[in-house]
Amino acid sequence: MDTQTGNATTPDGTRLAYRDHHAPAPDAETTPDSRHPPLLLLHGLAGHMGEWDDMLPLLLADGHRVITYDARGHGASTRRPPDMTRASAVRDVTTLIEELSLPTPVTLLGQSLGGHTAFLTAAAHPHLVDSLILVEAGPAGPSPDLPAEIAAWLDGWPTPFESFSSAAAFLGHEAWARGLEEREDGHHPRWHRETMLAAVADLAARAYWPEWARVACPTLVVRGARGTMRETEMAEMAEMARRAQIRTGRPPQSPPQPQLQSQTLTEVIEDAGHDVHLDQPRRLHAAVRTFLAARNTR
């Protein structure tokens, strides 16, 4: 595996830390990039790009080029950016695609807030996105209680954690603990509370069903059986896509030329909570692999 690390700078000056992973070419004539669209992975609120480490070797073994990055306000990216709106998160995706000169369209795989960013990007820039995989992410809302709920969750972290093991035990996964910053007095989060609350302010104010209706690419929606995404939300997402196909013969606002659009597919991963990618990385990979393999054989 060849991994390149770097920083991309957005139009508002925010620095985005990223890792660009390339799988070895299976032979001299076939490169991973020529067989599959690049995969851009988007983590959730208060997380970091290392959350994808368990799935990364599996995706690389399938022949994908995989890009992970720390969202603005998270990890090694700018901790206090000037803008934390949903629109700024979408601009970050397009910035990475442009600065890394990724062959487009790409596949976006996002969990929670990262999945929300992924489908907003597909709605706003359909020419950039080949397909979507949304994990515990959808357009439902508004959620006026969300900022208070997030504040209570963050305030409940007993920081600084005295050790890596105590952080992993409290947070539920070693991946979460790996995102902390070790200092003399213990392990600290690599984000600021006010920035995290700003990241969900838009979600408190409105729903995003109109944007979902504009998504024109094949999509897989994954829900953890013990997760926080409501079954009714996932079902409505699939139903909206089905009705659009019946009405127009193609997804809303899709270009007139033929394309490989199909209905939105859904899958529930057993024994998984909101962090499906951490609870059941191999099962999630199997679902992703099946979905993308069907895309590549059409």
Side-chain angles (χ1 to χ4, degrees):
M1 178 180 67
D2 176 26
T3 299
Q4 299 172 347
T5 62
N7 293 283
T9 303
T10 70
D12 68 3
T14 298
R15 185 188 69 256
L16 301 174
Y18 68 82
R19 296 175 189 157
D20 188 359
H21 312 270
H22 297 258
D27 55 56
E29 298 181 355
T30 304
T31 66
D33 294 349
S34 69
R35 294 184 295 123
H36 305 294
L39 270 171
L40 185 58
L41 310 188
L42 297 81
H43 66 77
L45 182 75
H48 65 109
M49 59 180 156
E51 291 181 31
W52 299 106
D53 286 354
D54 287 343
M55 287 190 64
L56 182 60
L58 304 174
L59 296 169
L60 290 170
D62 291 339
H64 295 284
R65 176 183 178 184
V66 182
I67 297 90
T68 57
Y69 75 101
D70 286 331
R72 60 174 50 219
H74 295 74
S77 295
T78 300
R79 294 198 190 186
R80 290 186 172 178
D83 188 354
M84 286 299 293
T85 60
R86 298 279 69 222
S88 71
V90 171
R91 286 193 297 272
D92 292 346
V93 176
T94 61
T95 294
L96 284 165
I97 291 173
E98 292 169 1
E99 291 213 10
L100 291 173
S101 299
L102 298 181
T104 54
V106 302
T107 294
L108 301 181
L109 165 55
Q111 186 263 347
S112 193
L113 190 63
H116 197 271
T117 300
F119 84 74
L120 291 184
T121 303
H125 305 281
H127 63 291
L128 295 180
V129 183
D130 175 80
S131 53
L132 280 175
I133 301 138
L134 308 179
V135 181
E136 287 274 312
S143 304
D145 296 332
L146 184 60
E149 293 170 356
I150 295 298
W153 174 53
L154 298 177
D155 292 344
W157 291 29
T159 55
F161 294 99
E162 63 180 15
S163 66
F164 178 89
S165 59
S166 65
F170 178 84
L171 297 171
H173 292 281
E174 284 194 359
W176 278 91
R178 290 196 299 270
L180 300 173
E181 179 179 66
E182 186 175 4
R183 304 177 192 168
E184 290 185 2
D185 62 340
H187 297 255
H188 292 256
R190 301 177 72 184
W191 40 255
H192 290 278
R193 179 182 185 274
E194 294 75 15
T195 303
M196 295 300 96
L197 296 182
V200 300
D202 288 350
L203 300 177
R206 54 163 295 201
Y208 288 82
W209 291 105
E211 286 81 1
W212 172 247
R214 293 199 295 271
V215 171
C217 64
T219 302
L220 172 66
V221 182
V222 179
R223 183 174 66 85
R226 297 182 286 101
T228 59
M229 185 181 192
R230 294 178 180 175
E231 185 176 357
T232 53
E233 180 181 11
M234 186 171 73
E236 180 60 19
M237 292 169 72
E239 179 62 16
M240 282 185 65
R242 186 189 70 83
R243 290 198 302 263
Q245 283 187 301
I246 292 174
R247 184 173 62 252
T248 66
R250 63 180 189 271
Q253 296 192 7
S254 62
Q257 66 268 23
Q259 59 173 243
L260 298 178
Q261 168 71 20
S262 62
Q263 75 276 13
T264 293
L265 302 177
T266 62
E267 181 147 350
V268 177
I269 305 293
E270 297 298 329
D271 299 320
H274 188 58
D275 291 331
V276 181
H277 59 312
L278 301 179
D279 293 337
Q280 297 293 341
R282 291 190 174 275
R283 292 185 190 178
L284 177 57
H285 168 256
V288 169
R289 185 178 188 180
T290 299
F291 171 70
L292 295 179
R295 293 279 297 137
N296 293 331
T297 57
R298 292 189 183 187

